[in-house]
Amino acid sequence: MSPTTPPVPPTRPSRRAVLAATAAAGAVSVGPSAAPAAAATSVPTAELADTPARPAAPAEAEKPGARPPATAQPPSRELRALLREIDPARIEATVRKLVSFGTRHTLSTQDDPDRGIGAARDWILAEMRSYAARSGGRMTAELQSYVQEPASRIPVATRITNVVATLRGSVAPERIYVVSGHYDSRVSDVMDATSDSPGADDDASGVAVAMELARVMATRRPAATIVFAAVAGEEQGLYGAAHMASRFKAAGADVQGMFTNDIIGSPKADDGTKDPHTIRLFAEGVPSSETPEQAATRRSVGGENDSPSRQLARFVRDTADNSATGMNVRVIYRRDRYRRGGDHIPFLERGYPAARFTEPTEDFAHQHQDVRVEDGKQYGDLPEFCDFPFIARVAKVNAAALWTMAQAPGTPRDAKILTADLTNSTQLTWTRGPEPDLAGYEIVWRETTAPEWTHVIPVGDATTHKVDLSKDNVSFGVRAVNRAGLRSPVAYPAPQA
């Protein structure tokens, strides 16, 4: 099916044909000696109306040994043009400017024009407003403030301020995607608000990504709304992100995806090894917001690997793990690292799909450290330890996923597997989306032990479809397609008696 051709309802495959497809797909994905990806096309797709894992497109085939998921979406010409505008030099300038404020500790001064978190806040706002000025009125930039009363790591009432730029969608403005970094910083003592705390990697690097994406996307027209945020209070306890997530929740906002970029400044580990073309993406399994009723259902039928955040992570792999970004997205099946947490967590706790980008391996001498030299070794989160082309590639990963989500239809709603009758087939239903360019839907499926979707079944502009394959044996999902051929993230269906 070409990228611009709407999906056509197929003839329903027989169970024998579907099982043959499963066997063939498995035959090309077992171990390093497996047959090349092209072998996956040996399944008779005309008979199946079911697409097994496809061979790599020319751009994707540039990565030796890579075989993209069946659901992979090659970048469009529009997206490639956008990615080319991401500028490592501008990212470096942003990181160095943020470092120049001396400290950005949440408890530092807020009224000094040159030093402290207040000076950083005002500079970020001015930059965001300069991007908004080129948007033709589509982007706005504002401060989002509240007073945090004394709490953990907040000894006195403290104003915490996020800087938020909003690029309003032209077709579905009520659908929202968020990208953030935190602009506060710290040294060894988390309560030290006066010592120099450069915070280049943690997390001027993440703020630079959010700001660079705001700059590049300001002149464009996404279908859905994209929010670019620099939040405060992260090091003291995720306060700024929690405030932002709470405001979205109170407003009933339809946030369908959120990424935080935190410690994405260097591919170099503490032993000197480098992995300059990999970025980690942390995505939780069991949802932080899961209710007791949802937990009972999950325990009954599974789905631990099919949370909204896992589907978001798969979508990032589908859209951003390719030669256009130059990056391998390593999805980690955890909410975050051991003993650590990031600004995606308040969004997860409020039921929003969210995930965290972090560099492939960390050098802990250059985060949460006083700036000093010991035994000839430099400590401190200084800009000379950042790799700015690497940060730019991480920005491209974010951009590829965000822009595709914002241009594609929204994630299907009310996806269900009907379970009233005990059968060896599967009936799925969902609610049709409101997008004016909606072309139809696709059913995706995989073995329950497979990490990514392996098969795609186009079903046309329908809200129900029957697959001649047992729901007891495999995992199913539903995604939407528009007339440009862009696909949404997958919705995982809940059982409905």
Side-chain angles (χ1 to χ4, degrees), residues 83-316:
L83 297 180
R84 285 194 293 270
E85 292 183 27
I86 292 173
D87 185 353
R90 293 190 68 97
I91 287 172
E92 178 176 1
T94 296
V95 170
R96 292 188 181 279
K97 180 64 177 180
L98 290 170
V99 169
S100 75
F101 296 113
T103 178
R104 304 188 307 278
H105 194 282
T106 296
L107 304 177
S108 64
T109 177
Q110 298 198 22
D111 54 10
D112 187 315
D114 301 312
R115 182 179 176 85
I117 196 166
R121 171 201 64 209
D122 294 345
W123 179 79
I124 295 169
L125 178 64
E127 288 294 295
M128 290 293 206
R129 284 180 171 168
S130 73
Y131 309 152
R134 300 184 294 112
S135 72
R138 293 183 301 279
M139 179 182 280
T140 58
E142 62 184 357
L143 298 180
Q144 186 185 86
S145 296
Y146 80 105
V147 175
Q148 176 60 53
E149 296 301 324
S152 176
R153 296 185 175 182
I154 303 289
V156 297
T158 301
R159 180 168 296 279
I160 294 177
T161 303
N162 303 324
V163 186
V164 179
T166 302
L167 180 59
R168 184 173 172 82
S170 60
V171 177
E174 71 286 348
R175 178 159 47 96
I176 298 169
Y177 301 98
V178 180
V179 59
S180 79
H182 70 86
Y183 71 101
D184 60 307
S185 63
R186 61 164 288 186
V187 288
S188 301
D189 178 0
V190 71
M191 303 304 293
D192 181 349
T194 58
S195 296
D196 279 352
S197 178
D201 192 359
D202 185 14
D203 185 36
S205 65
V207 173
V209 165
M211 293 179 67
E212 182 67 356
L213 297 189
R215 183 188 72 83
V216 168
M217 294 184 184
T219 57
R220 292 174 162 83
R221 294 178 179 270
T225 294
I226 305 176
V227 174
F228 311 89
V231 302
E234 193 272 350
E235 300 290 7
Q236 306 309 109
L238 313 181
Y239 287 104
H243 179 67
M244 180 166 58
S246 294
R247 286 184 53 152
F248 279 129
K249 194 68 175 180
D254 183 19
V255 179
Q256 294 197 9
M258 183 272 182
F259 299 122
T260 187
N261 289 268
D262 194 353
I263 311 179
I264 49 91
S266 172
K268 188 176 181 180
D270 51 4
D271 63 357
T273 59
K274 292 184 179 181
D275 191 358
H277 296 281
T278 297
I279 186 68
R280 288 185 292 174
L281 180 60
F282 287 84
E284 74 172 11
V286 176
S288 296
S289 62
E290 186 178 67
T291 66
E293 293 76 16
Q294 290 167 336
T297 298
R298 174 180 52 77
R299 287 192 293 269
S300 174
V301 301
E304 295 85 354
N305 197 22
D306 282 288
S307 66
S309 295
R310 292 279 165 89
Q311 307 303 349
L312 184 64
R314 290 185 178 108
F315 185 88
V316 175

